[in-house]
């Protein structure tokens, strides 16, 4: 079955630095979503990617969907303390309904001032 | 709009007891899902629904039942609680549209002793 893997599991970042987290699927995806979960909170939707090679930006966050639609990345520039949390990707297989998104294990981001 | 409302927020059960976790949304979303979150494992899909009267299994359905008699409500039933079901449970809802992600409830923290 489909597996969605995220690396790294943990990311310690100095405030002001950039970092990237990666999401890889064992099968081709129809679309991929990214979520952020603050400590003690619930996941909050950030963005959805649908097209091969798609790149979307939200202020300091850049999301990319691979050409083969099997991987994705989230790049954060000039990290701030407000970026603390766990970032999840969630992928939907090409034969799966909209209800069947599979989440990766997440990248937990810790920011050092 | 209240969004996605989950009750209770906390629950302690004894092994073998049954209970229902409630989930309601007021956004007229067609899709609803239940996830469990365990440390280091991300969110795992338990059951999902693509509309009233239609449900399907996710990755980890054993020990759980669901029903969707109305668009608004999607309760999750634990048939005979086991310590392995100790987890944080999230309910989420969505529309199947581009740039539209899942809206999560605030979660239920369940402990089975």
């Amino acid at each position: 079955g489909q597996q969605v893997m995220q690396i790294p599991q943990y990311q310690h970042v100095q405030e002001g630095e950039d970092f990237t987290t990666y999401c890889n699927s064992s099968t081709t995806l129809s679309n991929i979503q990214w979520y952020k979960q603050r400590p003690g909170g619930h996941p909050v939707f950030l963005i959805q990617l649908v097209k091969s090679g798609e790149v979307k930006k939200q202020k300091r966050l850049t999301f990319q969907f691979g050409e083969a639609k099997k991987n994705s990345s989230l790049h954060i520039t000039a990290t701030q303390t407000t970026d603390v949390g766990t970032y999840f990707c969630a992928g939907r297989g090409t034969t799966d309904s909209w209800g069947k998104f599979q989440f990766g294990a997440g990248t937990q981001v810790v920011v050092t001032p | 709009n209240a969004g996605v409302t989950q009750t209770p927020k906390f629950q302690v059960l004894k092994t073998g007891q049954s209970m229902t976790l409630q989930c309601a949304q007021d956004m007229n979303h067609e899709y609803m899902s239940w996830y469990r979150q365990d440390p280091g494992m991300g969110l795992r899909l338990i059951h999902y629904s693509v509309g009233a009267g239609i449900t399907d299994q996710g990755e980890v359905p054993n020990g759980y039942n669901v029903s969707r008699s109305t668009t608004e409500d999607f309760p999750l039933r634990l048939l005979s609680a086991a310590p392995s079901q100790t987890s944080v449970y999230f309910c989420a809802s969505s529309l199947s549209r581009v740039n539209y992600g899942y809206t999560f409830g605030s979660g239920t923290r369940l402990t089975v002793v």
Side-chain angles (χ1 to χ4, degrees), chain B residues 15-78:
Chain B
T15 297
Q17 286 185 318
S18 62
M19 80 159 294
T20 299
L21 307 186
Q22 301 292 344
C23 176
Q25 53 93 6
D26 61 356
M27 299 172 285
N28 204 29
H29 284 176
E30 55 198 305
Y31 292 89
M32 296 187 75
S33 302
W34 276 102
Y35 291 89
R36 60 176 288 174
Q37 185 172 35
D38 303 293
M41 300 188 73
L43 295 116
R44 291 184 291 169
L45 182 63
I46 304 172
H47 286 285
Y48 66 99
S49 170
V50 301
I54 307 170
T55 65
D56 204 350
Q57 297 181 351
E59 303 168 66
V60 288
N62 293 341
Y64 308 95
N65 273 357
V66 292
S67 61
R68 184 105 179 262
S69 56
T70 66
T71 300
E72 294 78 19
D73 299 298
F74 191 44
L76 177 72
R77 298 182 188 83
L78 278 70

Side-chain angles (χ1 to χ4, degrees), chain A residues 4 6 23 29-36 43-50 63-65 72-74 87-92 97-104, chain B residues 33 35 92-104:
Chain A
V4 176
Q6 279 186 259
C23 180
L29 300 173
S30 282
N31 49 333
I32 195 160
Q33 298 177 346
W34 285 88
Y35 293 80
K36 177 183 178 181
V44 174
F45 173 71
L46 294 176
I47 209 158
Q48 178 167 248
L49 304 171
V50 178
F63 304 83
Q64 188 164 4
F65 203 5
S72 181
S73 64
L74 161 58
Y87 293 82
F88 294 97
C89 64
R92 182 173 71 95
S97 80
W98 194 267
K100 207 168 184 179
F101 278 88
Q102 182 167 359
F103 280 73
Chain B
S33 302
Y35 291 89
S93 70
S94 180
L95 296 171
S96 61
R97 295 181 187 164
V98 176
N99 298 325
Y100 208 100
Y102 272 83
T103 300
F104 280 78

